[in-house]
Amino acid sequence: MKPRSALTRRGFLAAAGGTMAALAAGCGSEQYVQAAGSVPRQYRKRLHLVFWHSFGSKPGEALTALINEFNESQSDIYVEGQFQGSYEASVQKLSAAIIAHQIPDLVILSEVTWRKMHLADRLEPLNDYFEGDFTPDIYLENFINEGTVKDTVWWIPFARSTPLFYFNRDVFEKAGLPTEGPKNWRELKEWAPALQEHARYTLALAGGYASWYFQGNVWQWGGRYSDGLDVTLEEEKALEAGQWMVDFVRKDKAAYLSPDASVDFMNGVAACTMLSTGNLAAVSEGAKFNVGTTFLPEYDGFGCPTGGSGIGVMRDAAPERKQAAMEFIRWLSQPAKSAQWTIETGYMPVVKAAQQEQALIETAEKNPNYRTALNQLPKTKPQDLIRPIVPSAGEMMDTALQKLYSSNESVRDVFGRLDKQLQRKADLIRETYEARYL
């Protein structure tokens, strides 16, 4: 056990940084107004909801279609979807909006950012909004449980995901390799020379969210990022996982840090990559070859984290808009709508009954890659606490891994520095975390 800091709320504010500090410090009775938006003429007599989200491109089109369907399905509520950039950009804008007392009514928050809003007391507890056949039980337990703290639901699953191992099945066939993909990292390393006769690299490593993908590696080697809020990156198993990946890059010349792993994979630069389930629809459409997906490779064991995002309702929105926001969430939770979102994007169907929707069954029959994540889901688990709970931990870990994949620095030095930096931040929020979560 590492030493605990004596800092409490003050520590949390310092660890959270200026913006989040202002959020927590600003908790009180001040009035908030709705973030700016616009309402088409035909909807001006309805209650207007502002919904901030982080989906562009194909997922953005899919979400817009759902919002439009909802707006046409009833005559009381108008939902205005507003794209705010990535999960990280979105939460920064949300933080600034809270300080300015101009907030959306509901917002997409990642598996990392929702916890920061929860710790800062900015989210509405949702238990009292469930009624009738709309209960937390309709959602997959893995996902609804991640948004539940002390029996209170704070974050509703929506665009949930896991990493998948994507591979170019045509390249594997040309190389004379099994077209089901590798079962473990040793196998992939053995196959790399044959794969690289048909693709420049074996594996494209994503720089963005690198620490989400590497969470699986650490578990596969028998290590972990942290034990609660005690950082364990300097333990031998974590170091071994890092060293194996570094050797795969530097010695074997089989992997590389890609500026955009999905683009490189679709263009045939790399035979394999690790991407989110949320990339599935776009990759399936964009690749000019037979795309395969399989579970993440094992080493000494299996490891795969959950990820993605859900919906939070802002605590300081007007009561009638919070109620309307839950009406919209309830509409999205219909099995047919959950299945529709999965078919259009590749994100997982978060509602249990969605898996029995005929449209999704037919989609999975045509493209079995849609089944991979569902089959892998029982083997997944939430990330080690340090990444989702400590402010900026994900960005710090991503930067450290990018440095490892693109320089000659030693794993022990990089992980050693990172361990100490994360521990200092973790100690600052320990008491606040324990008061809210334990």
Side-chain angles (χ1 to χ4, degrees), residues 19 76 106 129 184 205 230 255-256 304 372 398:
T19 303
D76 298 320
L106 65 168
Y129 294 91
N184 58 65
L205 293 166
D230 297 323
Y256 70 107
C304 180
T372 306
D398 290 351

Side-chain angles (χ1 to χ4, degrees), residues 1 24 61 77 100 170 190 199 285 309 319 326 338 367 370 438:
M1 174 72 74
E61 294 171 6
I77 303 167
D170 292 348
E190 180 185 335
E285 284 188 10
S309 58
M326 285 302 289
S338 180
N367 184 353
Y370 276 84
L438 303 183

Side-chain angles (χ1 to χ4, degrees), residues 35-64:
S38 62
V39 182
R41 181 183 300 275
Q42 66 268 34
Y43 300 124
R44 285 183 181 166
K45 292 184 179 179
R46 299 186 182 188
L47 185 65
H48 177 208
L49 291 185
V50 173
F51 176 28
W52 282 13
H53 66 82
S54 300
F55 302 111
S57 303
K58 191 170 179 59
E61 294 171 6
L63 181 60
T64 298

